[in-house]
Amino acid sequence: MTSASQPAPARPTSRDVARAAGVSQATVSLVLGDKWRGRVSEATAERVRGATQDLGYRPNLAARSLRLGRTRTALLVVPALTNEFFARVYTGAAAVAAEHGFGVVLYPSPDGTGPARDPFASARAALDGVIASSMAADALGALHGADLPLVMLDSDPADTGVAAHVNLDIADGMRQVTDHLLALGHRRFIHLASAIDSWTFAVRARAVHDAVQGAPGAVVRTVPAALDVRAGREAAEHALAAPGPRPTAIICDDDILAAGACKAARRLGLRVPDDVSVTGFDDLALATAVEPELTTVRLPAEQVGERGMTALLAVLDGRPAEPGSLPVHLVVRGSSAPPPPRS
């Protein structure tokens, strides 16, 4: 004879947590909503968290969203996930979001960099805010009038209508690269520039030209290329084979273009770095996959995502976002060396 099935134990409620912690339900809500600082003590918050864990309590986020008028969902708009940098940005944003009970919906622009289909048409009512890379700015046209807070990554801080900006110190990164090559003795440069019309690449171009102009006898020529290895190779090959004294260093806007520049040098029978130095930007996995390994600028991609999500949470909570740009730093590897003698 089988025994009658026992009823499932009742799911613990916030009232149970409050009773176990010896506090009010309002205090439980403050702690679990991460709004307790300045309102309850650290010891009380820790007691609530302990009771929550002991009871196995899980907030009903759907009900909570209805009360707050929020869905606890952010949209992250990036140009493409084929670029490792933006995958790492997502990783950082998602980690911070998860700590605060938020989800992140990822929207990569279909063709990588250009205009995208409207990602907001059906989802507008289901979003609390948007985090977007400036390289995917064309995908944001439909956002105007949607009344959603927008946090921009790697974008012009002078742009208005944006709730917060999260920037890297891109100009300093390019100065570090150029100063490194100047200190090695280089004076004839190619700037292999991304052909994408974006604030971040405009900043890189200005920084290179400003640094070179400050060095006596130094010259730089900008050569644009689409952001892929083949385009970088073709543009660098033409620039290196052009009449006149050959440049001794190629400063690239991105590691992908730098990989193309290294291929161009080999096709012309040149050695990197003996005949020509090549530098990248981003420090993707590609930078250590090529030979010689790339001298490049390391960008803290996950921190960009973390800071972007933190900024959106601050805006939603009525607080100012953290100011200041994230620092970047030069990583010197085998692709840069002094110019060849008598160059």
Side-chain angles (χ1 to χ4, degrees), residues 189-230:
F189 299 93
I190 292 171
H191 172 215
L192 190 56
S194 168
I196 297 171
D197 182 15
S198 174
W199 175 83
T200 187
F201 293 122
V203 168
R204 296 174 206 211
R206 284 196 301 271
V208 170
H209 282 265
D210 289 347
V212 170
Q213 286 173 5
V219 293
V220 60
R221 180 160 68 95
T222 295
V223 177
L227 197 53
D228 62 67
V229 173
R230 179 179 176 180

Side-chain angles (χ1 to χ4, degrees), residues 2-27:
T2 58
S3 61
S5 60
Q6 296 296 316
R11 177 175 174 171
T13 67
S14 62
R15 183 175 299 165
D16 297 326
V17 174
R19 189 181 299 116
V23 299
S24 68
Q25 280 185 270
T27 298

Side-chain angles (χ1 to χ4, degrees), residues 54-125:
D54 292 343
L55 293 171
Y57 172 70
R58 295 289 182 272
N60 185 334
L61 293 180
R64 187 170 187 272
S65 295
L66 288 173
R67 288 197 307 273
L68 299 178
R70 290 185 184 171
T71 61
R72 303 185 75 78
T73 303
L75 185 73
L76 175 63
V77 185
V78 298
L81 280 184
T82 51
N83 187 314
E84 170 196 338
F85 177 83
F86 294 108
R88 286 161 52 199
V89 168
Y90 169 77
T91 299
V96 171
E99 291 174 2
H100 293 83
F102 266 70
V104 177
V105 176
L106 188 61
Y107 186 83
S109 180
D111 67 356
T113 56
R117 294 185 302 275
D118 178 2
F120 310 101
S122 60
R124 188 177 282 109

